[in-house]
Amino acid sequence: MTAKERFEDYWSWGGHPVVKNRFLLSSVYPMVTLITSYVLFVKVVGPYIMRNRKPVQMRPLIVVYNFSLVIFYVWYLLRGALFIPQMGISLFCGSLLRYDKDIVEVVFFHAYILYVARFVELLDTVFLVLTKKFNMVTSLHVFHHAIVPVFGWFGFRSETSAYLSLFIGVNSFVHVIMYSYYAIAALGPKYQKYIWWKKYLTSLQILQFFVMTIYMNFMYIFGCVESISIFIFSNFLSILFFFLFINYYRGTYNKADKKEDSGNNEPKKTNGVLNENGIHRGSITHRGSISGSLPAAYKNAVKKKE
């Protein structure tokens, strides 16, 4: 038996056979190939290709892409909620394999759809590279997109409990909010006044990891975890992302607030591109109006025009 066969055999004792034999799950190679290609393109190949080229104009495509993901996650949440009355609250504790075969296959296939969607979401970063918004291709962004499909592969090959379904539901709700933000931002400058709430989106992301870390450990205490390996993996990622997003929050919003308080009116640039997709973070008030980050002459001209 080869090393590859031993590896895949070890990760075949759990999960559901109908799902774990599907595309992107039957072997570790497709997942590894896609994730490796993604990281290489967005961090090395893409920036190299685009360094002397003009940004690709693809706003309509990006708008449709983001709104499509909003619709998908709303549908996913509504469809997933139907499993609760069918299977009861015990859906969140213990092996799914004790339930009727047909409903278990539907539940696992529903999770598989989300797994495939995570690969589609890799296009987020590809669009950023092609539009030359390199400042937004942060290490946290790339790591977050890359590690989730990796976790999904191991989960499908071992876990048979649905305790993570609550985590998936909460995360899907956050994705509805997140892609709504991206979709509105992609509509253009005149819509920027409607996305003053990104700071609160980041706070929501931090909150989800904090709450779900506590939840998962309670599930372990209550004996709802089937795969110890996946529990450790998911717990590690949840705690790691909790601190990474806190660090991102401090580095992004606290610095912006201090800069605004200091009276520095020059918007920060990274690679020649204004932060926040062409707008200066912190320049939008709670009413969506332009604040003191603009030069006085420009504000006077705006007042006269009004």
Side-chain angles (χ1 to χ4, degrees), residues 90-95 159-164 215-216 218-227:
S90 57
L91 168 67
F92 303 111
C93 187
S95 176
E159 184 59 73
T160 59
S161 172
Y163 76 97
L164 286 174
Y215 163 78
M216 285 189 294
F218 270 110
M219 292 294 100
Y220 175 75
I221 294 172
F222 294 150
C224 304
V225 175
E226 295 287 319
S227 170

Side-chain angles (χ1 to χ4, degrees), residues 79 83 86 101-112:
R79 180 68 183 85
F83 294 131
Q86 288 181 277
K101 178 181 177 181
D102 292 337
I103 187 62
V104 171
E105 290 183 1
V106 174
V107 170
F108 272 101
F109 181 71
H110 191 254
Y112 172 72

Side-chain angles (χ1 to χ4, degrees), residues 7 23 29 60 106 202 226 257 277:
F7 173 82
F23 175 62
Y29 286 142
V106 174
T202 306
E226 295 287 319
D257 291 341
N277 199 19

Side-chain angles (χ1 to χ4, degrees), residues 164 167 212-220 231 234-235 238:
L164 286 174
F167 197 172
M212 296 314 299
T213 299
I214 296 175
Y215 163 78
M216 285 189 294
N217 281 277
F218 270 110
M219 292 294 100
Y220 175 75
F231 166 73
S234 58
N235 215 32
S238 187

Side-chain angles (χ1 to χ4, degrees), residues 32 51 98 113 116 131 143 155 180 187-188 257 280 292 302 305:
V32 171
R51 71 190 190 286
R98 69 175 182 269
I113 293 173
V116 174
T131 54
F143 176 70
S180 295
L187 289 173
D257 291 341
H280 173 47
V302 172
K305 186 174 180 180

Side-chain angles (χ1 to χ4, degrees), residues 115-171:
Y115 176 70
V116 174
R118 296 304 195 189
F119 287 94
V120 175
E121 288 183 34
L122 300 180
L123 290 173
D124 281 356
T125 329
V126 174
F127 293 154
L128 292 175
V129 172
L130 295 179
T131 54
K132 300 191 73 170
K133 294 183 175 65
F134 301 133
N135 63 306
M136 299 177 73
V137 185
T138 63
S139 298
L140 174 58
H141 177 98
V142 175
F143 176 70
H144 187 213
H145 274 297
I147 198 64
V148 172
V150 175
F151 169 74
W153 190 90
F154 285 99
F156 273 109
R157 301 282 294 201
S158 58
E159 184 59 73
T160 59
S161 172
Y163 76 97
L164 286 174
S165 58
L166 182 59
F167 197 172
I168 292 172
V170 172
N171 187 252

